[in-house]
Each structure stands twice: as structure tokens, then as C-alpha cells.
Amino acid sequence: MKLNGKVALVTGGTRGIGYATTLLFCKEGAKVAITGRSERQGRKAIIELKKEGFRDVVFIQGDVSKSVDAKRMIEITVKQFGQLDILVNNAGIWIGGTVETASEADWDKVIDVNLKGTFLCSKFALPYLKKTKGAIVNTASIAGLVADVESIPYCASKGGVVLLTKAMALDHAKEGIRVNCVCPGYVMTPMLEQEMLEEDVPKSGPDREKYLKEIAELHPIGRIGEPEEVAKTVLFLASNDSSFITGTALTVDGGYIAQ
Ligand code: NAD
């Protein structure tokens, strides 16, 4: 097992890519704390993980964009499991819009969760990661590497995460801490469902199929990604398999960026 004896915190680990990462980390022997905004969703995730036979899992409710919550999440994880080896900054939100149509509140919300949340959780995790010579894996996006239309706050936040990753990698390399990020293409998760909802795509029927086909065709591989495919890449960057890799932005995008 690749993470035997390791302790990980996965923000936004209650569903989607975060849940798939948590499940894979548990299978690889890690003790995992997951965070999320919804108590109900958190409880559901823990029940599912326990059904799979994993006991060393805990849910911590909180908002990554709030300093007190971010600090508390890290402290509870260390109190519960004794150390911290891996921080996965996965929590994120998507709100669309151009500079003209996105409100100031939309901008603040997306930047606060996606970018400031990554900064805050890393800040409070670093003292513990220094002790274990741990690893941070941030979740950026293809939208942090190339622009998308009507996605201003999201692109700006994820572009920020890519450079935050590289800058942190430089600052903490000598301390034995590696910092990398994943850049997924479109992945079938509740976030994509929400994006479709906002774009008035029906929940079933030919219009939905047409929309999904168009999204799939944006990727040279010709399909939308699965959360488990991103999780495997996060595992690679979090584990010793990537011991000489730091400061990288690894695409998991079916070739999207190669075009
Ligand atoms: P999701 O909406 O399914 O899950 C997001 C998780 O983040 C949830 O657990 C939610 O509770 C948590 N979260 C949101 N705001 C939070 C906050 N303020 N504090 C704490 N937790 C919060 O999303 P997903 O698709 O699994 O996305 C996970 C990450 O991957 C995000 O950073 C997202 O931007 C990124 N990503 C997703 C896609 C995609 O197509 N799904 C593509 C590229 C990147």
C-alpha cells in the first residue's frame, strides 16, 4: 500500500473528486480527514466509507475560506490522528460570468474558496507538514492553464492556484515538502451537474445528451473524465512515487491542453 501509516486531509472530500480521492487514499492505507460545508453530506460520506470497511476516517464541517475554520480543520486532524502527512486542497466552486456579468460577490466567493482557501489550509498545515516532510496537492483545472469563455472568476482563481503551487514549491522544497497541483479537464461530478443546471440543461433527455456529447468532444480522448481518474493522479503526487516532482501542474484532461 502506497500510503500506509500516512495521515491525509482532503478538503471537499465529501463528494465528487474529493470523495474518490478519499476512498483511494483509504484503500492505500491512509487515515483520512475530510471536510465540507454540509454536515449531512459529510455524515453520508463517512457512512459510505465505513461500509467499505474503513474505520480511520473523520468528517470536519467547515468553510475553507474562513481562517478560523481552516485552522480548526488542521488541528482536529492532528488531534485525531497524531500527525499530518498530506494536504489535498480540493474544495472548490464554479460560478460563471464575464467581467461584465459576474458580480463582485461572485468574484469574491470564487476567489475566496478556490484560491484563499488553498492559501489558508496550506498556511495552517505547514507547521505539521514540516515535521513529516509531507506533500501538498492542490486542485487547479485546465481553466487555470487556458482560458474558457464566460468563466472569469473561475479561470482567475485556478490560474492563481497554479502559480501559488509553483511558488509554494520553491519556498518549501528545502524543508522536504513537495507541492504540486492537478489540472483536470471536465469530470462528471455534482459540480458539472450544477454547471449544467445554471446553463438550463435539462436533467434528462436529448438536450442533455447533446450537451454532454459536446463537452466530451472537447477532449481528444472523446469523453468526460471520471473522479477516480483524477484521484489516481492525486495519489501519485501525494505518494513517494513522485518523490522528485515538485512545482508541477499535471493535466488529467484527456488531451484537452495538448490541442
Ligand atoms: P463538487 O462540487 O462535486 O465537490 C466540491 C466539494 O468542495 C464538496 O465537498 C463541497 O462541500 C466542498 N466545498 C465547496 N466549497 C467549500 C468551502 N467553502 N469550504 C469547504 N468545502 C467546500 O466538485 P468537484 O467537481 O468534485 O470538484 C473538486 C475540485 O476539482 C474543485 O476544486 C474543482 O474546481 C476542481 N475541478 C473540477 C472539474 C470538474 O469538471 N468537475 C474540473 C476541473 C477542476
Side-chain angles (χ1 to χ4, degrees), residues 12 14-15 17 37 62-64 90 139 154 158 185 187 189-191:
T14 63
R15 66 184 206 190
I17 293 168
R37 291 160 305 173
D63 181 340
V64 291
N90 163 81
T139 311
Y154 191 74
K158 293 300 186 181
V187 182
T189 68
M191 179 181 277

Side-chain angles (χ1 to χ4, degrees), residues 17 23 35 48-49 77 108 115 132 142 155 169 200 206 246 254:
I17 293 168
L23 184 58
T35 79
E48 282 167 19
L49 290 163
T77 306
D108 284 347
L115 187 52
T132 55
I142 48 170
C155 284
D200 295 323
T246 196

Side-chain angles (χ1 to χ4, degrees), residues 15 37 45 52 59 101 105 128 146 157 159 180 186-187 192 200 218 224 245:
R15 66 184 206 190
R37 291 160 305 173
E52 297 271 350
F59 169 68
T101 62
Y128 300 104
V146 291
S157 73
N180 293 290
Y186 284 84
V187 182
L192 185 53
D200 295 323
L218 295 172
I224 292 170
I245 301 178

Side-chain angles (χ1 to χ4, degrees), residues 11-19 35-38 41 59-66 69 73 89-94 109 112-114 139-143 154 157-158 182-192 194-195 224-225 227 230:
T11 69
T14 63
R15 66 184 206 190
I17 293 168
Y19 181 78
T35 79
R37 291 160 305 173
S38 155
Q41 188 74 42
F59 169 68
I60 308 159
Q61 194 277 337
D63 181 340
V64 291
S65 68
K66 295 201 167 77
D69 283 13
M73 288 168 193
N89 283 307
N90 163 81
I93 55 169
W94 179 89
K109 210 167 165 200
D112 276 1
V113 176
N114 296 3
T139 311
S141 167
I142 48 170
Y154 191 74
S157 73
K158 293 300 186 181
V182 286
C183 296
Y186 284 84
V187 182
M188 206 61 232
T189 68
M191 179 181 277
L192 185 53
Q194 187 215 328
E195 201 174 322
I224 292 170
V230 183

